[in-house]
Coordinates of all heavy atoms in Angstrom, one line a residue:
M1 N 6.1 27.5 -0.4 CA 5.8 27.6 1.0 C 7.1 27.5 1.8 O 8.0 26.9 1.4 CB 4.8 26.5 1.4 CG 4.3 26.6 2.8 SD 2.8 25.7 3.2 CE 3.3 24.0 3.0
S2 N 7.0 28.0 3.0 CA 8.2 28.1 3.8 C 8.7 26.7 4.3 O 7.9 25.9 4.7 CB 8.0 29.0 5.0 OG 9.1 29.0 5.9
S3 N 10.0 26.5 4.2 CA 10.5 25.2 4.7 C 10.7 25.3 6.2 O 11.1 24.3 6.8 CB 11.8 24.9 4.0 OG 12.8 25.9 4.3
N4 N 10.4 26.4 6.9 CA 10.5 26.5 8.3 C 9.3 25.9 9.0 O 9.3 25.8 10.2 CB 10.6 28.0 8.7 CG 11.9 28.6 8.3 OD1 12.9 27.9 8.1 ND2 11.9 29.9 8.0
I5 N 8.3 25.5 8.3 CA 7.1 24.8 9.0 C 7.5 23.4 9.3 O 8.0 22.7 8.4 CB 5.9 24.9 8.1 CG1 5.5 26.4 7.8 CG2 4.7 24.1 8.7 CD1 4.4 26.5 6.9
T6 N 7.4 23.0 10.5 CA 7.9 21.8 11.0 C 6.9 20.7 10.6 O 5.7 20.8 10.7 CB 8.0 21.8 12.5 OG1 8.9 22.8 12.9 CG2 8.5 20.5 13.1
L7 N 7.4 19.5 10.2 CA 6.6 18.4 9.9 C 6.1 17.8 11.2 O 6.9 17.6 12.1 CB 7.4 17.3 9.2 CG 6.8 16.0 8.9 CD1 5.6 16.2 7.8 CD2 7.8 15.0 8.3
L8 N 4.8 17.7 11.3 CA 4.2 17.2 12.6 C 3.7 15.8 12.6 O 3.5 15.2 13.7 CB 3.0 18.2 13.0 CG 3.4 19.6 13.1 CD1 2.1 20.5 13.4 CD2 4.3 19.8 14.3
R9 N 3.5 15.2 11.5 CA 2.9 13.9 11.4 C 4.0 12.9 11.8 O 5.1 12.9 11.3 CB 2.4 13.6 10.0 CG 1.8 12.2 9.9 CD 1.2 12.1 8.5 NE 0.7 10.7 8.3 CZ 0.6 10.1 7.2 NH1 1.0 10.7 6.1 NH2 0.1 8.9 7.1
G10 N 3.6 11.9 12.6 CA 4.5 10.8 12.9 C 5.5 11.1 14.1 O 6.4 10.3 14.3
L11 N 5.3 12.2 14.7 CA 6.2 12.6 15.8 C 5.9 11.7 17.0 O 4.8 11.4 17.3 CB 6.1 14.1 16.2 CG 6.6 15.1 15.1 CD1 6.4 16.5 15.7 CD2 8.0 14.8 14.7
E12 N 7.0 11.4 17.8 CA 6.8 10.7 19.0 C 7.6 11.5 20.1 O 8.8 11.7 19.9 CB 7.4 9.3 19.0 CG 6.6 8.3 18.2 CD 5.2 8.1 18.7 OE1 5.0 8.2 20.0 OE2 4.3 7.9 17.9
P13 N 6.9 12.0 21.1 CA 5.5 12.0 21.3 C 4.7 12.8 20.3 O 5.4 13.6 19.6 CB 5.3 12.5 22.8 CG 6.5 13.4 22.9 CD 7.6 12.8 22.1
A14 N 3.4 12.7 20.3 CA 2.6 13.4 19.4 C 2.8 14.9 19.6 O 3.2 15.4 20.6 CB 1.1 13.1 19.6
P15 N 2.6 15.7 18.5 CA 2.8 17.2 18.6 C 1.9 17.8 19.6 O 0.7 17.4 19.8 CB 2.5 17.7 17.2 CG 1.8 16.6 16.5 CD 2.1 15.3 17.2
T16 N 2.4 18.8 20.3 CA 1.6 19.5 21.3 C 0.7 20.6 20.6 O 1.0 20.9 19.5 CB 2.5 20.2 22.3 OG1 3.3 21.2 21.6 CG2 3.5 19.2 23.0
E17 N -0.2 21.1 21.4 CA -1.0 22.2 20.9 C -0.1 23.4 20.5 O -0.4 24.1 19.5 CB -2.1 22.6 21.9 CG -3.2 21.7 22.1 CD -4.3 22.2 23.1 OE1 -4.4 23.4 23.2 OE2 -4.9 21.4 23.7
Q18 N 0.9 23.6 21.3 CA 1.8 24.7 21.0 C 2.6 24.5 19.7 O 2.8 25.5 19.0 CB 2.8 24.9 22.2 CG 2.2 25.4 23.5 CD 1.6 24.2 24.3 OE1 1.7 23.1 24.0 NE2 0.9 24.6 25.4
E19 N 3.0 23.3 19.4 CA 3.7 23.0 18.2 C 2.7 23.2 17.0 O 3.1 23.7 15.9 CB 4.2 21.6 18.2 CG 5.4 21.5 19.1 CD 5.9 20.1 19.3 OE1 5.1 19.1 19.4 OE2 7.1 19.9 19.2
I20 N 1.5 22.7 17.1 CA 0.5 22.9 16.1 C 0.2 24.4 15.9 O 0.1 24.9 14.7 CB -0.8 22.1 16.4 CG1 -0.5 20.6 16.3 CG2 -1.9 22.5 15.4 CD1 -1.6 19.7 16.8
Y21 N 0.0 25.1 16.9 CA -0.2 26.6 16.8 C 1.0 27.3 16.2 O 0.8 28.1 15.3 CB -0.5 27.2 18.2 CG -0.7 28.7 18.2 CD1 -2.0 29.1 18.0 CD2 0.3 29.6 18.3 CE1 -2.2 30.5 18.0 CE2 0.1 30.9 18.3 CZ -1.2 31.4 18.1 OH -1.4 32.7 18.0
A22 N 2.2 26.9 16.5 CA 3.4 27.5 15.9 C 3.4 27.3 14.4 O 3.8 28.2 13.7 CB 4.6 27.0 16.6
A23 N 3.1 26.1 14.0 CA 3.1 25.7 12.6 C 2.0 26.5 11.9 O 2.3 27.1 10.8 CB 2.9 24.2 12.4
A24 N 0.9 26.6 12.5 CA -0.2 27.4 11.9 C 0.2 28.9 11.8 O -0.1 29.5 10.7 CB -1.5 27.3 12.7
L25 N 0.8 29.4 12.8 CA 1.2 30.8 12.8 C 2.2 31.1 11.7 O 2.2 32.0 10.9 CB 1.8 31.2 14.1 CG 2.3 32.7 14.3 CD1 1.1 33.7 14.0 CD2 2.8 32.9 15.7
Q26 N 3.2 30.2 11.6 CA 4.2 30.3 10.5 C 3.6 30.2 9.1 O 4.0 31.0 8.3 CB 5.3 29.2 10.6 CG 6.4 29.3 9.7 CD 7.2 30.6 9.8 OE1 7.5 31.0 10.9 NE2 7.6 31.3 8.7
Y27 N 2.6 29.3 8.9 CA 1.9 29.3 7.7 C 1.2 30.6 7.4 O 1.3 31.1 6.3 CB 0.9 28.1 7.7 CG 0.1 28.0 6.5 CD1 0.5 27.4 5.3 CD2 -1.2 28.5 6.5 CE1 -0.3 27.3 4.2 CE2 -2.0 28.5 5.4 CZ -1.6 27.9 4.2 OH -2.4 27.8 3.1
V28 N 0.5 31.1 8.3 CA -0.3 32.3 8.1 C 0.7 33.5 7.8 O 0.4 34.3 6.9 CB -1.2 32.6 9.3 CG1 -1.8 34.0 9.2 CG2 -2.3 31.6 9.4
R29 N 1.7 33.6 8.6 CA 2.7 34.7 8.3 C 3.3 34.6 6.9 O 3.5 35.6 6.3 CB 3.8 34.6 9.4 CG 3.3 35.2 10.7 CD 4.4 35.2 11.7 NE 4.0 35.8 12.9 CZ 4.8 36.0 14.0 NH1 6.0 35.5 14.0 NH2 4.4 36.6 15.1
T30 N 3.6 33.3 6.5 CA 4.2 33.1 5.2 C 3.3 33.5 4.1 O 3.6 34.2 3.2 CB 4.7 31.7 5.0 OG1 5.7 31.4 6.1 CG2 5.4 31.5 3.7
V31 N 2.1 32.9 4.1 CA 1.1 33.1 3.1 C 0.6 34.5 3.1 O 0.4 35.1 2.0 CB -0.1 32.1 3.3 CG1 -1.2 32.4 2.3 CG2 0.4 30.7 3.0
G32 N 0.4 35.1 4.3 CA -0.1 36.5 4.3 C 0.9 37.5 4.2 O 0.6 38.7 4.1
G33 N 2.2 37.2 4.2 CA 3.2 38.2 4.1 C 3.3 39.1 5.3 O 3.6 40.3 5.2
V34 N 2.9 38.5 6.5 CA 2.8 39.3 7.7 C 4.0 38.9 8.6 O 4.1 37.8 9.0 CB 1.5 39.0 8.5 CG1 1.5 39.8 9.8 CG2 0.3 39.3 7.6
S35 N 4.9 39.8 8.8 CA 6.1 39.5 9.6 C 5.9 39.9 11.1 O 6.5 39.3 12.0 CB 7.3 40.2 9.1 OG 7.1 41.6 9.1
G36 N 5.0 40.8 11.3 CA 4.7 41.2 12.7 C 3.2 41.5 12.8 O 2.6 41.8 11.8
L37 N 2.7 41.5 14.0 CA 1.3 41.8 14.2 C 1.1 43.2 14.6 O 1.9 43.8 15.4 CB 0.7 40.9 15.3 CG 0.8 39.4 15.1 CD1 0.2 38.6 16.3 CD2 0.0 39.1 13.8
S38 N 0.1 43.8 14.0 CA -0.3 45.2 14.4 C -1.8 45.2 14.7 O -2.5 44.2 14.5 CB 0.0 46.1 13.2 OG -0.9 45.9 12.1
S39 N -2.3 46.3 15.1 CA -3.7 46.4 15.4 C -4.6 46.1 14.2 O -5.7 45.7 14.3 CB -4.0 47.7 16.1 OG -3.7 48.8 15.2
T40 N -4.0 46.4 13.0 CA -4.8 46.2 11.8 C -4.7 44.7 11.3 O -5.6 44.3 10.5 CB -4.3 47.1 10.7 OG1 -3.0 46.9 10.4 CG2 -4.6 48.6 11.0
T41 N -3.7 44.0 11.7 CA -3.6 42.6 11.2 C -3.9 41.5 12.3 O -4.2 40.4 11.9 CB -2.2 42.3 10.7 OG1 -1.2 42.5 11.8 CG2 -1.8 43.2 9.5
K42 N -3.9 41.9 13.6 CA -4.0 40.9 14.6 C -5.2 40.1 14.6 O -5.2 38.8 14.7 CB -3.8 41.6 16.0 CG -3.8 40.5 17.1 CD -3.5 41.2 18.5 CE -3.5 40.2 19.6 NZ -3.5 38.8 19.4
A43 N -6.4 40.7 14.4 CA -7.6 39.9 14.4 C -7.7 38.9 13.2 O -8.1 37.8 13.4 CB -8.8 40.9 14.3
A44 N -7.3 39.4 12.1 CA -7.3 38.5 10.9 C -6.4 37.3 11.1 O -6.7 36.2 10.8 CB -7.0 39.3 9.6
V45 N -5.2 37.6 11.6 CA -4.1 36.6 11.8 C -4.6 35.6 12.8 O -4.5 34.4 12.6 CB -2.8 37.2 12.1 CG1 -1.8 36.2 12.6 CG2 -2.2 38.0 10.9
D46 N -5.1 36.1 14.0 CA -5.6 35.2 15.0 C -6.7 34.3 14.5 O -6.7 33.1 14.8 CB -6.1 36.0 16.2 CG -5.0 36.6 17.0 OD1 -3.8 36.3 16.8 OD2 -5.3 37.5 17.9
K47 N -7.6 34.8 13.8 CA -8.7 34.0 13.2 C -8.2 32.9 12.3 O -8.6 31.8 12.4 CB -9.7 34.9 12.5 CG -10.9 34.2 11.9 CD -11.9 35.2 11.3 CE -13.0 34.5 10.6 NZ -13.9 35.5 9.9
A48 N -7.3 33.3 11.4 CA -6.7 32.3 10.5 C -5.9 31.3 11.2 O -6.0 30.1 10.9 CB -5.9 33.0 9.4
V49 N -5.1 31.7 12.2 CA -4.3 30.7 12.9 C -5.1 29.7 13.6 O -4.9 28.5 13.6 CB -3.3 31.5 13.9 CG1 -2.6 30.5 14.8 CG2 -2.2 32.2 13.1
N50 N -6.2 30.2 14.3 CA -7.0 29.3 15.0 C -7.7 28.3 14.1 O -7.9 27.1 14.4 CB -8.1 30.1 15.8 CG -7.4 30.8 17.0 OD1 -6.5 30.3 17.6 ND2 -8.0 31.9 17.4
A51 N -8.2 28.8 12.9 CA -8.8 27.9 12.0 C -7.8 26.8 11.4 O -8.2 25.7 11.3 CB -9.4 28.7 10.8
I52 N -6.6 27.3 11.1 CA -5.6 26.4 10.6 C -5.1 25.4 11.6 O -4.9 24.2 11.4 CB -4.5 27.1 9.9 CG1 -5.0 27.8 8.7 CG2 -3.3 26.2 9.6 CD1 -4.1 28.9 8.1
A53 N -5.0 25.8 12.8 CA -4.6 24.9 13.9 C -5.7 23.9 14.2 O -5.3 22.7 14.3 CB -4.3 25.7 15.2
A54 N -6.9 24.3 14.1 CA -8.0 23.3 14.3 C -8.0 22.3 13.1 O -8.2 21.1 13.3 CB -9.4 24.0 14.4
A55 N -7.8 22.8 11.9 CA -7.8 21.9 10.7 C -6.6 21.0 10.8 O -6.7 19.8 10.4 CB -7.8 22.7 9.4
T56 N -5.5 21.5 11.2 CA -4.3 20.7 11.4 C -4.5 19.6 12.4 O -4.1 18.4 12.2 CB -3.0 21.5 11.7 OG1 -2.9 22.5 10.7 CG2 -1.8 20.7 11.9
T57 N -5.0 19.9 13.5 CA -5.3 18.9 14.6 C -6.2 17.8 14.0 O -6.0 16.6 14.2 CB -6.0 19.6 15.8 OG1 -5.1 20.6 16.3 CG2 -6.3 18.6 16.9
Q58 N -7.2 18.2 13.3 CA -8.2 17.2 12.7 C -7.4 16.4 11.6 O -7.6 15.2 11.6 CB -9.4 17.9 12.1 CG -10.4 16.9 11.6 CD -11.0 16.1 12.7 OE1 -11.5 16.7 13.7 NE2 -11.0 14.8 12.6
L59 N -6.6 17.0 10.8 CA -5.9 16.3 9.8 C -5.0 15.2 10.4 O -5.0 14.1 10.0 CB -5.0 17.3 9.0 CG -4.1 16.6 8.0 CD1 -4.8 15.9 6.9 CD2 -3.1 17.7 7.4
L60 N -4.2 15.6 11.4 CA -3.3 14.7 12.1 C -4.1 13.5 12.7 O -3.6 12.4 12.7 CB -2.5 15.4 13.1 CG -1.4 16.4 12.5 CD1 -0.7 17.1 13.6 CD2 -0.4 15.7 11.6
A61 N -5.3 13.8 13.2 CA -6.1 12.7 13.8 C -6.7 11.8 12.8 O -6.8 10.6 13.0 CB -7.3 13.4 14.6
D62 N -6.9 12.3 11.6 CA -7.5 11.5 10.5 C -6.5 10.7 9.7 O -6.9 9.7 9.1 CB -8.3 12.4 9.6 CG -9.6 13.0 10.2 OD1 -10.0 12.5 11.3 OD2 -10.2 13.9 9.6
L63 N -5.3 11.1 9.7 CA -4.3 10.4 8.9 C -3.8 9.2 9.6 O -3.7 9.2 10.9 CB -3.1 11.3 8.6 CG -3.3 12.5 7.6 CD1 -2.1 13.4 7.6 CD2 -3.6 11.9 6.2
P64 N -3.4 8.1 8.9 CA -2.8 7.0 9.6 C -1.5 7.4 10.3 O -0.8 8.3 9.8 CB -2.6 6.0 8.5 CG -2.7 6.7 7.2 CD -3.5 8.0 7.5
D65 N -1.2 6.6 11.3 CA 0.0 7.0 12.1 C 1.3 6.7 11.3 O 2.3 7.3 11.5 CB 0.1 6.1 13.4 CG -1.0 6.6 14.4 OD1 -1.4 7.8 14.3 OD2 -1.3 5.8 15.2
V66 N 1.2 5.7 10.4 CA 2.4 5.3 9.6 C 2.6 6.3 8.5 O 1.7 6.6 7.7 CB 2.3 3.9 9.1 CG1 3.5 3.4 8.3 CG2 2.0 2.9 10.3
R67 N 3.9 6.7 8.3 CA 4.2 7.5 7.1 C 5.6 7.1 6.7 O 6.4 6.5 7.4 CB 4.2 9.0 7.4 CG 5.3 9.5 8.3 CD 5.2 11.0 8.4 NE 6.2 11.5 9.2 CZ 7.5 11.7 8.8 NH1 7.8 11.5 7.6 NH2 8.4 12.2 9.7
V68 N 5.9 7.3 5.4 CA 7.2 7.0 4.8 C 8.2 8.1 5.3 O 7.9 9.3 5.3 CB 7.1 7.0 3.3 CG1 8.5 6.8 2.7 CG2 6.1 6.0 2.9
A69 N 9.4 7.6 5.7 CA 10.4 8.6 6.1 C 10.8 9.5 5.0 O 10.8 9.1 3.8 CB 11.6 7.8 6.5
P70 N 11.1 10.8 5.3 CA 11.4 11.7 4.2 C 12.7 11.3 3.5 O 13.6 10.6 4.1 CB 11.6 13.0 5.0 CG 11.8 12.7 6.4 CD 11.1 11.4 6.6
A71 N 12.9 11.7 2.3 CA 14.0 11.4 1.4 C 15.3 12.1 1.9 O 16.4 11.7 1.5 CB 13.7 11.7 0.0
T72 N 15.2 13.1 2.7 CA 16.3 13.9 3.1 C 17.1 13.1 4.2 O 16.6 12.4 4.9 CB 16.0 15.3 3.6 OG1 17.1 16.0 3.9 CG2 15.1 15.2 4.8
T73 N 18.4 13.4 4.2 CA 19.3 12.8 5.2 C 19.6 13.9 6.3 O 20.2 13.6 7.3 CB 20.6 12.3 4.6 OG1 21.3 13.4 4.0 CG2 20.3 11.2 3.7
E74 N 19.1 15.1 6.1 CA 19.3 16.1 7.1 C 18.4 15.9 8.3 O 17.2 15.5 8.2 CB 18.9 17.5 6.5 CG 19.8 17.9 5.4 CD 19.4 19.3 4.8 OE1 18.8 20.1 5.5 OE2 19.7 19.5 3.6
P75 N 18.9 16.1 9.5 CA 18.1 15.9 10.7 C 17.0 17.0 10.7 O 17.2 18.1 10.2 CB 19.1 16.1 11.8 CG 20.2 16.9 11.3 CD 20.3 16.5 9.8
P76 N 15.8 16.7 11.3 CA 14.8 17.7 11.3 C 15.2 18.8 12.3 O 16.0 18.6 13.2 CB 13.6 16.9 11.9 CG 14.2 15.8 12.6 CD 15.5 15.4 11.9
P77 N 14.6 20.0 12.1 CA 14.9 21.1 13.1 C 14.4 20.8 14.5 O 13.5 20.0 14.6 CB 14.2 22.3 12.5 CG 13.1 21.7 11.7 CD 13.6 20.4 11.2
P78 N 15.0 21.3 15.5 CA 14.5 21.1 16.8 C 13.0 21.5 16.9 O 12.6 22.5 16.4 CB 15.3 22.0 17.7 CG 16.5 22.3 16.9 CD 16.1 22.2 15.5
R79 N 12.2 20.6 17.6 CA 10.8 20.9 17.7 C 10.5 22.1 18.5 O 9.5 22.8 18.1 CB 10.1 19.7 18.4 CG 10.1 18.5 17.5 CD 9.6 17.3 18.2 NE 8.2 17.4 18.5 CZ 7.4 16.5 19.1 NH1 8.0 15.3 19.4 NH2 6.2 16.6 19.4
D80 N 11.3 22.5 19.5 CA 11.0 23.6 20.3 C 11.3 24.9 19.6 O 10.9 26.0 20.0 CB 11.7 23.6 21.6 CG 13.2 23.4 21.5 OD1 13.7 23.1 20.4 OD2 13.8 23.5 22.5
R81 N 12.1 24.9 18.5 CA 12.4 26.1 17.8 C 11.2 26.8 17.2 O 11.0 28.0 17.3 CB 13.4 25.9 16.6 CG 13.9 27.1 16.0 CD 14.8 26.9 14.8 NE 13.9 26.6 13.7 CZ 14.2 26.0 12.5 NH1 15.4 25.7 12.4 NH2 13.4 25.8 11.6
A82 N 10.3 26.0 16.6 CA 9.1 26.6 16.0 C 8.2 27.2 17.0 O 7.6 28.3 16.8 CB 8.3 25.5 15.2
V83 N 8.1 26.6 18.2 CA 7.3 27.1 19.3 C 7.9 28.4 19.8 O 7.2 29.4 20.0 CB 7.1 26.1 20.4 CG1 6.4 26.7 21.6 CG2 6.3 24.9 19.9
A84 N 9.2 28.4 20.0 CA 9.9 29.6 20.5 C 9.7 30.8 19.5 O 9.5 31.9 19.9 CB 11.3 29.3 20.7
E85 N 9.8 30.5 18.2 CA 9.6 31.6 17.2 C 8.2 32.1 17.2 O 7.9 33.3 16.8 CB 10.0 31.0 15.8 CG 11.5 30.8 15.7 CD 11.8 30.1 14.4 OE1 10.9 29.8 13.6 OE2 13.0 30.0 14.1
A86 N 7.2 31.3 17.6 CA 5.8 31.8 17.6 C 5.5 32.7 18.8 O 4.5 33.4 18.7 CB 4.9 30.5 17.6
E87 N 6.3 32.6 19.8 CA 6.0 33.4 21.0 C 6.4 34.8 20.9 O 7.1 35.3 20.1 CB 6.7 32.7 22.2 CG 6.1 31.4 22.5 CD 6.8 30.6 23.6 OE1 7.9 31.0 23.9 OE2 6.2 29.7 24.1

């Protein structure tokens, strides 16, 4: 899976709807091999992104707030980058 998908759990402040949507869109594009939207792919991509965004929102609500810090010492990518790439 793409490492460009931003980790959303444990963020302060909590991830926005736009950040969740951007992560869902990146996931769908990666898994579906869709780099751009066309009239033949838009409906399927939109449907999948909405379903994944809803599932992600529910997942983040159901998980405990506390998580173990990642093992990497690299700083996380800027949060607004994923949103900008989704637009």
Side-chain angles (χ1 to χ4, degrees):
M1 188 162 63
S2 174
S3 61
N4 291 334
I5 297 174
T6 303
L7 177 66
L8 298 176
R9 184 177 176 206
L11 294 180
E12 288 297 329
T16 65
E17 286 184 31
Q18 292 83 7
E19 288 173 316
I20 292 171
Y21 180 87
L25 179 59
Q26 184 62 41
Y27 174 82
V28 169
R29 285 182 172 179
T30 299
V31 170
V34 178
S35 59
L37 297 179
S38 68
S39 59
T40 58
T41 61
K42 184 170 178 15
V45 168
D46 287 346
K47 181 178 178 182
V49 169
N50 289 329
I52 291 168
T56 300
T57 300
Q58 187 63 55
L59 173 66
L60 293 173
D62 291 346
L63 289 172
D65 290 336
V66 179
R67 71 173 179 85
V68 176
T72 182
T73 58
E74 295 179 27
R79 290 174 67 176
D80 57 349
R81 185 186 81 195
V83 173
E85 289 174 355
E87 294 175 342

